[in-house]
Amino acid sequence: NLNENQEVANQNLIDAWDMKDAEARIIIFCNVEGPQQTLIEGCASSAEMWERLILQYANAAPINGNLLLEKFFNYKYNPG
């Protein structure tokens, strides 16, 4: 938003948002393992980091689910 002097009227809100985004990026980066850190390095925002993580693991989720079902159906009862 620009005011009558063509200056950004809500710069304080933008700065606060940027600070929260930087904090979120630090939290995400510090709480994932090395391979995931490599995946999200260079992201410009926490939203972009989250999107990359979701895309990476959304594809793996159905595969993991199928493997779990396969293990379940191959499970044999052991009376001991």
Side-chain angles (χ1 to χ4, degrees):
N1 292 336
L2 297 178
N3 61 18
E4 61 275 353
N5 298 327
Q6 298 301 310
E7 299 168 339
V8 177
N10 58 345
Q11 188 62 48
N12 60 335
L13 294 175
I14 294 170
D15 292 343
W17 180 269
D18 287 341
M19 181 65 74
K20 288 180 182 179
D21 186 63
E23 291 172 1
R25 282 185 279 147
I26 290 168
I27 290 168
I28 293 169
F29 191 83
C30 291
N31 285 286
V32 295
E33 300 292 326
Q36 292 81 24
Q37 287 178 341
T38 302
L39 178 70
I40 60 176
E41 279 180 337
C43 288
S45 69
S46 58
E48 185 180 351
M49 291 173 132
W50 197 247
E51 283 283 323
R52 283 191 188 180
L53 291 169
I54 287 172
L55 288 173
Q56 177 71 25
Y57 293 102
N59 293 334
I63 295 168
N64 290 340
N66 290 339
L67 290 174
L68 183 61
L69 277 175
E70 180 182 342
K71 286 181 183 180
F72 175 76
F73 288 123
N74 290 328
Y75 180 75
K76 305 271 191 254
Y77 175 71
N78 186 351

